[in-house]
Amino acid sequence: MSRIVAVAPVLPDHAYPQAQIAEQVAALVTSDPARRSLLLRLHGSCGIETRHLALPLERYGTLTSFDETNALALALGTDLAERAVRDALRTAGLDPHDVDHLMLTTVTAIGAPSLDAALVDRLGLRPDVTRLPSFGLGCAGGAAGLARVHDHVTAHRDHVAVLVSVELCSLTLQRDDDSTANLVASGLFGDGGAAVVMVGDDREPPRGTSGATRRVWADAPRVVGARSVLYPGSGDALGWRVGASGLRIVLSGGLPDVVRAHVADDVKALLTAHGAVLDDVRTWVVHAGGPKILEAVQDALDLPRDALARSWASLARAGNLSSASVLHVLADTLAGSPTSAPGTAAGTTTGATTRGTATATDAPGALGVVAAFGPGVGAELVALRWPSDERRAA
């Protein structure tokens, strides 16, 4: 198996209220008053308060070509990825030369060599580090990355592996495109990244590490299984059309219905393979894909809204960060960020736990499910198990 030792979320420095971004974007994508009005309504109904952008907001009106925006995505994305990996390694008490395997997931920065190759020199990784760049998984990339890195360190039990996600969605904005898909996307997606340090069962904390670092390792949840599913006939529901103007969003209004129709059966199949049922799950780490996606998951799994409290909070704080989104929710989960039901202290439980409530998140031995959805349409599911009190004490 594998352990998730550290998760480091990062956001660009340029942060703006959702309403301010909406006004700027409206001027770039449409001159039709009716479409502008629709854009403002869509942006206002996303459940987003703030988004972080790769560039100052006023700079977006000066961008002229795919060449320019993709070059910026690679340069700025590498900077963001470097920050994330350094933060994650520091939390884990590891150095760059400890890393044996590096996986990149992105759907917004296209390059060969890929962005992860630039990180080898930037970070001082060993030249024999194995790399796995991934493009095209979209919003599912963070969860899929956890599963693929789990595969690696399960096979290489003494290895340290790093998953890094970088998404600069703002640089894909299509000017003079007032299609409903572009209006929705321009209000939903934000910029950000994350890095995850995962280790195999035979890897121990470095000698001489502090008590705090050793506690991080002791408290690390294990990946106990994963499931990947593609839903036939849904390929035109989500993705990119790549052309001269760059990455043009494909986003169907039927996407939440696809999720609602399938996710419960797939989660049950994941759990059944490990002798568990829905009532055993105490932690839900769900990609903050937007209000309709989160509501579809809640409906299909019969969860109370507070079961996805950290997903809703991440959406409000930064928007949908594509592949990085679920990793931000995971970071909040590991940090025990406040999501308690009214009248309950953050990070505590209230006697008998209710299935899926955020107040049960940190119970020792608890089972968790990570879920994200991307182009395909595909679902990526990962089962986590928090260590028991006995293991923590060992």
Side-chain angles (χ1 to χ4, degrees), residues 13-227:
D13 294 333
H14 308 291
Y16 300 92
Q18 175 79 335
Q20 185 178 354
I21 296 174
E23 290 289 346
Q24 182 75 16
V25 169
L28 297 177
V29 302
T30 187
S31 58
D32 182 337
R35 300 303 285 175
R36 180 182 185 279
S37 178
L38 176 60
L39 179 146
L40 296 177
R41 290 200 305 274
L42 291 170
H43 282 220
S45 64
C46 287
I48 297 170
E49 298 172 2
T50 306
R51 280 187 287 162
H52 291 247
L53 305 179
L55 299 172
L57 185 54
E58 63 274 10
R59 177 79 184 281
Y60 288 87
T62 71
L63 302 177
T64 59
S65 70
F66 186 28
D67 285 350
E68 182 181 11
T69 56
N70 192 59
L72 284 167
L74 289 169
L76 298 175
T78 302
D79 292 342
L80 205 61
E82 180 184 0
R83 279 177 48 197
V85 176
R86 289 192 186 280
D87 288 351
L89 290 174
R90 186 181 306 112
T91 298
L94 296 168
D95 294 320
H97 64 77
D98 293 317
V99 178
D100 302 291
H101 180 71
L102 177 66
M103 179 177 176
L104 165 74
T105 183
T106 183
V107 75
T108 56
I110 303 172
S114 48
L115 186 152
D116 53 295
L119 289 176
V120 175
D121 285 340
R122 284 276 198 103
L123 292 164
L125 302 179
R126 301 196 317 266
D128 66 342
V129 66
T130 58
R131 297 184 296 112
L132 180 62
S134 169
F135 180 88
L137 289 166
C139 297
L146 295 175
R148 300 292 79 77
V149 173
H150 165 72
D151 291 342
H152 178 89
V153 297
T154 298
H156 303 276
R157 294 165 57 94
D158 62 341
H159 273 201
V160 172
V162 172
L163 166 66
V164 61
S165 162
V166 175
E167 302 291 8
L168 300 183
C169 303
S170 67
L171 293 173
T172 69
L173 176 68
Q174 296 293 304
R175 295 177 60 175
D176 302 317
D177 174 7
D178 64 2
S179 65
T180 300
N182 194 46
L183 300 188
V184 171
S186 68
L188 182 60
F189 291 96
D191 296 345
V196 183
V197 176
M198 298 175 66
V199 299
D201 276 347
D202 293 345
R203 189 74 181 210
E204 296 297 330
R207 290 183 179 179
T209 53
S210 68
T213 300
R214 297 189 73 85
R215 174 56 60 184
V216 166
W217 283 63
D219 290 345
R222 288 173 166 270
V223 175
V224 296
R227 178 176 173 82

